Amino acid sequence: MDLVTVPCSAYVFLMRSVEDIEAEIEKLSPSEVKRLAEWLAEYQAGLWDELIAEDAQPGGRLRQVIDEAKSDFKARKTRPLP
């Protein structure tokens, strides 16, 4: 199969592992690597944002901390940051 004639969406399915993706990245030009790195950073930041939002929801891992902070603020148990 000639990869040049394979549609872009089908090409992704040919890469089955991180090693395959790494091998393809090594073939990119420096400007393409930079573009990919920028995209990956944005993608990773979006995943982080989703995780934080999920953790802040009721039952999430941050919810107790958020509730305690709000309670302390209302009870005037807080002080300004230096």
Side-chain angles (χ1 to χ4, degrees), residues 1-51:
M1 176 184 307
D2 182 8
L3 293 181
V4 175
T5 61
V6 175
C8 186
S9 59
Y11 180 70
V12 173
F13 295 108
L14 296 174
M15 292 187 283
R16 305 233 187 259
S17 68
V18 172
E19 289 79 15
D20 292 341
I21 296 167
E22 288 172 345
E24 291 302 314
I25 290 171
E26 289 175 350
K27 297 175 185 176
L28 298 175
S29 70
S31 64
E32 291 172 317
V33 171
K34 181 179 185 243
R35 188 171 139 213
L36 176 62
E38 290 168 352
W39 176 86
L40 189 56
E42 285 185 34
Y43 181 77
Q44 190 172 21
L47 293 176
W48 177 255
D49 290 345
E50 289 175 18
L51 180 61

Side-chain angles (χ1 to χ4, degrees), residues 27-79:
K27 297 175 185 176
L28 298 175
S29 70
S31 64
E32 291 172 317
V33 171
K34 181 179 185 243
R35 188 171 139 213
L36 176 62
E38 290 168 352
W39 176 86
L40 189 56
E42 285 185 34
Y43 181 77
Q44 190 172 21
L47 293 176
W48 177 255
D49 290 345
E50 289 175 18
L51 180 61
I52 295 297
E54 185 178 303
D55 285 347
Q57 297 299 316
R61 297 185 307 172
L62 292 174
R63 195 69 228 178
Q64 183 178 352
V65 174
I66 293 168
D67 292 342
E68 286 177 22
K70 285 181 177 182
S71 177
D72 287 349
F73 181 77
K74 286 180 183 177
R76 298 187 179 268
K77 295 181 181 178
T78 60
R79 56 186 168 86

